[in-house]
Amino acid sequence: MPCRLDSPVSSHPAPAAALPAALAWVEAELDTIRAAGLERPARVRQGRQGREVTLDGHTLVNFGSNDYLGYAGDVRLTKAASKGACAEGFGAGASPLVSGHSLAHERLEQALADLLAVEAALVFPSGFAANTATIAALVSPGDFIASDARNHASIIDGCRLSRAEVGIYPHRDMAALDALLAAQPQARRRLIVTDTLFSMDGTRAPLADLCDIADRHRAMLLVDEAHATGVFGDRGSGLVEATNCAAGVHVRVGTLSKALGAAGGFVAGPATFIHWLRHAARAWIFSTAHPPAIAAAATKAIELVAAEPHRREELAARAAAFRERLVSAGLDISGAEAQIVPIVARAPEAAVALSAALAAAGFFVPAIRPPSVPHGRSLVRASVCWHHSDDDLTTLANAVIRHAHCD
Ligand SMILES: Cc1ncc(COP(=O)(O)O)c(C=O)c1O
């Protein structure tokens, strides 16, 4: 029997007190955000999410979470987590370097290494921390990073943190990447970083070309499989596996928080590299390990990915049919090629209006606005998940098409 969260949550928070003088500038910043149509609501979810989600008391069909395989609310993960908590307590108590690395974490790292068919893996408190810490460990001033223009914020922040020189190449433009690297012969180390499945566009990185370019320029290649882990490949390890590119990718980052339905991030690669990372990745050294219960739940999700390949197969088929329906109605889905399906609205107000119209039709499909996407590229992002029915997808596609054609 799933547990219920019954404590009442007020949707009318108390009015905020006046800010102290030292923080008065915050009001002006918020006014600017509101004037640009970019204020974000703080929604509260009630209960477990799956096909449906209840937000601020409204229950809608859920196209807003990254729960691609439907494991976030799966009771098998809850049971694994409570068993893990009973065995090892709840808090990790310290950084993995000190006493936070439990048996549950050790098992999870082994399960990840097996899933990705690499020698070793290292677990971080979040995917965000895995990216920032790893990039900042790999390069520093005197080095050069080439980064896709649509990479995730955690990659961008990792690049900034490293203080290496950063060259941005237009989204998936391999000729531009080649030219950027050719102009950096003096750099001590060169690093190419890319999402494998882009989080806002649903496009895939050209991995075979990236491996070839990395090889020719003697550059390191780090890929972020956050949205691909669990979803692609015969084993379900991601797009590196699905495209047969494991030999040319040096470092794989991923997250346990999306298709795996748990939380935390990981880095996977050669054992010697992972051993070195334990001495260099500051978010691993100086941050408390995530709770062992979460590691136990993530390990259970990896088992389920192996045992239930039909989930990723069905997901791929449903997402393809959904994209096809939108494209044949003339909608701009930004070249999406996977379960992330954006409907490009351009202006933030248009994205918010489309999202509101879809909510009125019974669907939660969030509007994504700057800074999550560049100015002029606001969109509504539908995350297709395994638990959506064909009927959900057809009804949603029809609602999107109706709104677009009335606009
Ligand atoms: C491409 C990408 N990388 C990393 C992350 C961060 O992962 P986490 O949510 O586990 O911190 C995200 C999260 O949205 C993402 O989209």
Side-chain angles (χ1 to χ4, degrees):
M1 181 72 181
C3 353
R4 296 184 67 89
L5 182 66
D6 284 331
S7 50
V9 178
S10 168
S11 53
H12 302 289
L19 285 169
L23 287 176
W25 57 270
V26 170
E27 282 295 356
E29 295 267 324
L30 275 173
D31 286 344
T32 309
I33 290 168
R34 286 185 193 114
L38 297 177
E39 191 176 20
R40 289 156 186 249
R43 299 187 185 96
V44 179
R45 195 189 74 215
Q46 287 102 27
R48 208 172 271 260
Q49 67 179 316
R51 176 184 166 268
E52 290 187 336
V53 65
T54 302
L55 291 169
D56 293 341
H58 302 286
T59 300
L60 300 170
V61 181
N62 181 14
F63 280 88
S65 83
N66 304 309
D67 183 20
Y68 304 126
L69 295 177
Y71 292 139
D74 192 310
V75 79
R76 293 172 293 182
L77 267 65
T78 319
K79 281 186 183 154
S82 60
K83 218 168 132 196
C86 289
E88 308 202 46
F90 194 74
S95 129
L97 187 65
V98 185
S99 62
H101 183 73
S102 67
L103 262 177
H105 293 97
E106 183 64 20
R107 282 190 206 104
L108 172 59
E109 289 179 353
Q110 191 53 58
L112 283 165
D114 292 346
L115 173 68
L116 274 74
V118 293
E119 282 181 341
L122 195 65
V123 167
F124 286 74
S126 71
F128 201 105
N131 266 331
T132 51
T134 306
I135 295 169
L138 284 169
V139 283
S140 47
D143 299 332
F144 181 75
I145 307 175
S147 176
D148 188 288
R150 302 225 181 128
N151 276 342
H152 186 255
S154 54
I155 293 182
I156 296 170
D157 286 7
C159 293
R160 290 176 180 158
L161 197 59
S162 76
R163 290 176 295 124
E165 189 182 339
V166 183
I168 311 286
Y169 58 92
H171 185 45
R172 301 193 298 175
D173 184 336
M174 293 297 99
L177 170 62
D178 204 25
L180 265 182
L181 289 165
Q184 294 292 331
Q186 78 295 348
R188 185 185 62 142
R189 295 179 195 151
R190 281 167 289 276
L191 171 68
I192 304 171
V193 282
T194 183
D195 289 13
T196 59
L197 179 62
F198 287 86
S199 57
M200 292 300 147
D201 298 271
T203 45
R204 300 182 192 193
L207 284 174
D209 295 341
L210 284 158
C211 292
D212 177 50
I213 291 175
D215 189 45
R216 275 195 285 110
H217 291 278
R218 286 179 293 105
M220 302 175 282
L221 176 58
L222 178 154
V223 305
D224 177 1
E225 294 259 50
H227 294 270
T229 306
V231 176
F232 292 96
D234 288 343
R235 291 192 312 279
S237 77
L239 276 166
V240 171
E241 179 201 345
T243 56
N244 212 8
C245 283
V249 171
H250 305 108
V251 183
R252 276 186 264 177
V253 175
T255 172
L256 310 164
S257 64
K258 303 192 193 300
L260 297 183
F266 64 87
V267 180
T272 307
F273 168 73
I274 295 296
H275 183 54
W276 167 78
L277 210 50
R278 290 193 188 98
H279 302 79
R282 291 170 66 82
W284 189 84
I285 299 169
F286 294 109
S287 185
T288 300
H290 73 346
I294 295 178
T299 307
K300 170 55 77 178
I302 292 170
E303 269 174 53
L304 296 176
V305 163
E308 299 179 338
H310 65 95
R311 289 206 181 197
R312 54 183 171 277
E313 288 154 17
E314 289 163 16
L315 170 64
R318 285 181 197 142
F322 180 64
R323 293 194 308 271
E324 174 55 30
R325 204 173 274 273
L326 296 177
V327 169
S328 42
L331 288 170
D332 177 1
I333 63 162
S334 194
E337 313 171 81
Q339 78 282 7
I340 297 170
V341 185
I343 298 114
V344 179
R346 302 196 191 289
E349 296 80 4
V352 171
L354 174 55
S355 178
L358 297 176
F363 297 99
F364 175 57
V365 199
I368 312 284
R369 297 167 285 165
S372 305
V373 286
H375 285 277
R377 277 195 63 78
S378 287
L379 48 89
V380 168
R381 178 180 180 275
S383 297
V384 179
C385 299
W386 171 78
H387 41 238
H388 293 132
S389 66
D390 292 339
D391 193 44
D392 290 335
L393 292 159
T394 309
T395 315
L396 174 61
N398 290 342
V400 171
I401 294 163
R402 228 178 8 257
H403 182 87
H405 289 163
C406 293
D407 219 17

